[in-house]
Amino acid sequence: MAIKLFDSLTREIRELQPSHPDGVLRFYNCGPTVYAPAHIGNFRAFVINDVLRRLLDLEFGPGRVKHVRNLTDVDDKTIRRAREEGRPLAAVTQQWTEKFHADCAALNCLSPHVEPTATGHIREQVDMIDVLMQKGNAYRAADGSVYFKVSSFDHYGELSRVKERELKLGSALKAAAADADEKEDVSDFALWKAHKDEDGANSWESPWGRGRPGWHIECSAMSKKHLGETIDLHTGGVDLLFPHHENEIAQSQCCNGVTFSRHWFHNEHLLVDGKKMSKSEGTLYTLDDLTAKGFSPMAVRYTLLMGHPRKQLNFTLDSLHAAEKALATLRAFRATLPATGGDPDVFAHEFAVLRDDLNLPEALGALFKVVNDKGLKVNATAFDRVMSVLGLDLQAVARKAAAPAAITALADKRWAVKQAKDFAAADALRKELAAAGWSMLDRKDGYSLEPLKK
Ligand code: AMP
Ligand code: ZN
């Protein structure tokens, strides 16, 4: 059974197949902007793409999927951050790239095969803009910026149906027009931004003068360089449909004269407590925010898998508690499984629903049906295959984020008095731990600490 996935361009669920004669499926996923830690909404996108990558690897075999995910390391946000901190841009983006890699590893996301950076591909971006200038799809404004002429591309708006949404977008376009009066038309977008004082050292020479690339051109240039002119799959969150992906299509197709991506897939957003994440309301969580509360990164991954990728998912601390429980159940189940024997197809439904438009909640539901059905015979190999495609590392669950030192000190003290059979002191210390938000679970050979459900 082939992998089928919703295609945002045709609005149909379609089969995914490589189109190149070498049989390698070319997959481009828009990556992070590296100026701050990624939040769990970003990680919803990366974890979903990771399951997709794992499923594609399984379907087409090792070496038959080429996965590229870029790093946006020069744009308004990265430059502003470097300026505010008085540091070189590269120091800021390197710091946050390392943090992104560490978080991805903790969430058990596979590394892409290529992770190109925008600053490492200035020449490729300039070359593409040059072709667009020669073909009449772009023009240089008086200040040295270069804009893409949207009216030169008949298919503009087909991905996001932007023409149908134009009325709604009216005010946004007016706002854009106010600060971009160099453009011939408000909907034109920047391919090259002329140097401004606030850019500091972050500009490069080009045939149009010093400047830096606009954001959208980097993905067109980097996917062309690493995957070729026509790719098989392009993904990102729904916020990238317009203008980012719409602009990528326009640039790439006008430059190369062929279809840019044969399939487009967009994950819906993660909400927190039913609303858009907000820094001021304390709901813009990073992975560190959650591990500091005692949750394991694997529980964060599990929570991000709980919803259908094409539906919004509401994240709450309760859902994280539920994820920790689910993982504990899976770990306990795994410990009971024999290495061989049983029905090798017992998880056929799980794989079938994942192949059918990445139906994660249905796959998790089916998995727990198997776990709870005492009559079924399951072997460890079959179970591990499901864990592997979901990227759930059950060993990592045990390596929980450590409780703060003050809490472990209290727990150690309580363990000692309990061993000495001073139960009154042990009870008093348990209350003290509970007041600090921790529950201590005693076992024969030691204890573990769990954050208390709030
Ligand atoms: P950025 O670093 O802002 O370019 O975002 C990286 C990825 O995260 C992109 O694919 C975005 O579409 C995606 N993204 C941003 N916010 C959310 C969210 N709340 N839920 C899911 N995906 C998101
Ligand atoms: Zn992109």
Side-chain angles (χ1 to χ4, degrees):
M1 187 185 156
I3 297 176
K4 291 192 282 179
L5 205 58
F6 185 79
D7 173 15
S8 317
L9 184 61
T10 58
R11 306 260 154 126
E12 282 170 356
I13 295 178
R14 296 174 44 231
E15 271 187 22
L16 267 174
Q17 289 296 344
S19 58
H20 287 253
D22 63 8
V24 175
L25 187 127
R26 284 141 167 92
F27 168 25
Y28 188 95
N29 172 210
C30 288
T33 308
V34 279
Y35 71 109
H39 55 65
I40 54 166
N42 300 135
F43 282 118
R44 179 175 198 210
F46 298 124
V47 164
I48 286 171
N49 274 275
D50 185 59
V51 176
L52 186 53
R53 156 78 189 278
R54 288 164 180 270
L55 199 61
L56 292 168
D57 279 350
L58 201 66
E59 183 77 11
F60 297 107
R64 293 294 175 132
V65 178
K66 188 168 177 191
H67 176 197
V68 176
R69 187 182 64 209
N70 67 302
L71 294 165
T72 298
D73 63 348
V74 58
D75 75 334
D76 293 346
K77 288 183 274 192
T78 46
I79 291 177
R80 194 181 317 126
R81 180 59 53 96
R83 203 176 51 240
E84 283 164 5
E85 294 179 0
R87 291 201 288 161
L89 179 66
V92 171
T93 58
Q94 190 188 335
Q95 175 192 347
W96 294 112
T97 298
E98 283 167 15
K99 179 62 183 149
F100 177 66
H101 287 162
D103 286 353
C104 283
L107 290 167
N108 203 26
C109 290
L110 299 172
S111 301
H113 299 107
V114 189
E115 199 174 40
T117 59
T119 57
H121 292 74
I122 299 292
R123 188 177 49 79
E124 288 81 353
Q125 296 177 76
V126 167
D127 287 350
M128 262 188 121
I129 299 170
D130 209 16
V131 175
L132 292 170
M133 286 289 280
Q134 285 169 35
K135 289 192 168 183
N137 299 106
Y139 58 91
R140 182 186 186 277
D143 71 342
S145 294
V146 179
Y147 292 97
F148 184 90
K149 196 182 183 71
V150 165
S151 62
S152 72
F153 181 54
D154 286 345
H155 299 286
Y156 195 84
E158 284 179 5
L159 177 71
S160 61
R161 313 293 201 264
V162 72
K163 284 184 186 143
E164 294 159 24
R165 293 192 304 168
E166 235 159 27
L167 277 178
K168 274 194 224 155
L169 281 169
S171 54
L173 287 176
K174 272 190 207 125
D179 62 11
D181 47 19
E182 308 279 349
K183 295 191 214 176
E184 288 175 5
D185 189 279
V186 285
S187 50
D188 293 349
F189 58 89
L191 295 166
W192 188 257
K193 294 183 164 188
H195 176 81
K196 288 194 187 127
D197 287 346
E198 57 260 39
D199 293 339
N202 306 303
S203 57
W204 292 262
E205 284 305 336
S206 82
W208 318 285
R210 271 196 92 73
R212 59 181 166 98
W215 168 38
H216 315 294
I217 193 74
E218 73 177 65
C219 289
S220 284
M222 293 192 277
S223 69
K224 179 175 178 175
K225 166 142 190 213
H226 298 285
L227 296 172
E229 292 182 350
T230 296
I231 64 173
D232 299 305
L233 174 63
H234 195 125
T235 62
V238 279
D239 53 303
L240 300 187
L241 262 168
F242 183 83
H244 186 51
H245 289 163
E246 199 71 75
N247 293 354
E248 282 186 36
I249 294 176
Q251 299 158 161
S252 291
Q253 298 198 176
C254 288
C255 175
N256 304 325
V258 293
T259 299
F260 173 40
S261 179
R262 300 172 56 246
H263 209 120
W264 289 88
F265 183 73
H266 294 93
N267 64 274
E268 255 298 345
H269 270 186
L270 183 79
L271 305 179
V272 173
D273 297 335
K275 287 185 271 184
K276 199 169 179 249
M277 269 177 279
S278 139
K279 215 171 203 162
S280 57
E281 289 191 33
T283 55
L284 196 146
Y285 293 120
T286 64
L287 187 59
D288 283 355
D289 293 336
L290 296 171
T291 53
K293 289 182 189 291
F295 295 105
S296 65
M298 216 35 60
V300 176
R301 180 175 177 110
Y302 190 99
T303 307
L304 298 175
L305 297 180
M306 283 159 88
H308 195 290
R310 288 197 294 111
K311 292 197 176 128
Q312 290 187 335
L313 173 66
N314 188 28
F315 182 93
T316 61
L317 292 183
D318 276 349
S319 59
L320 262 182
H321 282 289
E324 292 283 14
K325 266 204 186 131
L327 288 168
T329 305
L330 292 174
R331 248 170 80 78
F333 180 71
R334 173 64 175 79
T336 66
L337 298 180
T340 54
D343 176 0
D345 286 333
V346 69
F347 295 113
H349 184 62
E350 284 75 347
F351 285 102
V353 295
L354 286 175
R355 284 195 180 97
D356 187 4
D357 198 26
L358 220 56
N359 193 340
L360 286 161
E362 177 75 23
L364 291 177
L367 171 66
F368 271 86
K369 263 198 197 127
V370 173
V371 169
N372 294 323
D373 187 338
K374 302 281 179 276
L376 286 176
K377 295 262 177 294
V378 183
N379 72 52
T381 314
F383 180 78
D384 289 350
R385 256 167 59 88
V386 184
M387 291 302 101
S388 163
V389 79
L390 294 172
L392 294 175
D393 177 355
L394 297 179
Q395 299 305 315
V397 179
R399 301 191 293 270
K400 268 196 155 179
I407 298 296
T408 31
L410 270 182
D412 285 343
K413 200 164 148 196
R414 184 178 161 273
W415 182 252
V417 295
K418 196 177 161 215
Q419 297 307 300
K421 301 209 181 322
D422 183 350
F423 297 114
D427 275 354
L429 284 161
R430 176 183 286 290
K431 281 192 189 126
E432 217 175 305
L433 280 165
W438 291 85
S439 140
M440 184 166 163
L441 310 172
D442 298 341
R443 292 190 314 264
K444 247 193 246 152
D445 53 346
Y447 67 84
S448 60
L449 283 163
E450 293 272 345
L452 274 175
K453 211 170 154 171
K454 288 201 181 87

